Amino acid sequence: MPCQLCRFVRTTGHQCQSPALKGERFCYHHTTLTKAHRYFRPNQVTDPAFVIGRHIRLPPVDDR
């Protein structure tokens, strides 16, 4: 039975091979990781000095 794989791409360029959650794009680990990081991403409300296009956005670090 085929299943959808997690669409998270690691820093090495390889895709995560875990099965994705039903109705989600990512596996359990990467779904919780992206939801947790959502609150720490800068935006104009949390940081008034934030200007779109002038800040570098780095992906979450996936390994130590």
Side-chain angles (χ1 to χ4, degrees):
M1 179 174 180
C3 67
Q4 183 105 7
L5 294 179
C6 178
R7 302 212 35 193
F8 186 85
V9 178
R10 300 179 189 277
T11 54
T12 59
H14 294 99
Q15 184 177 354
C16 176
Q17 296 296 310
S18 297
L21 294 175
K22 189 175 188 177
E24 297 282 340
R25 295 177 55 207
F26 303 116
C27 63
Y28 175 79
H29 172 71
H30 292 117
T31 299
T32 56
L33 182 73
T34 55
K35 285 182 181 178
H37 281 253
R38 180 181 307 150
Y39 299 108
F40 297 106
R41 292 186 182 129
N43 59 38
Q44 292 175 340
V45 174
T46 59
D47 184 7
F50 180 76
V51 178
I52 296 173
R54 290 193 181 175
H55 288 74
I56 299 172
R57 293 185 184 228
L58 300 174
V61 178
D62 154 71
D63 49 356
R64 295 181 201 172

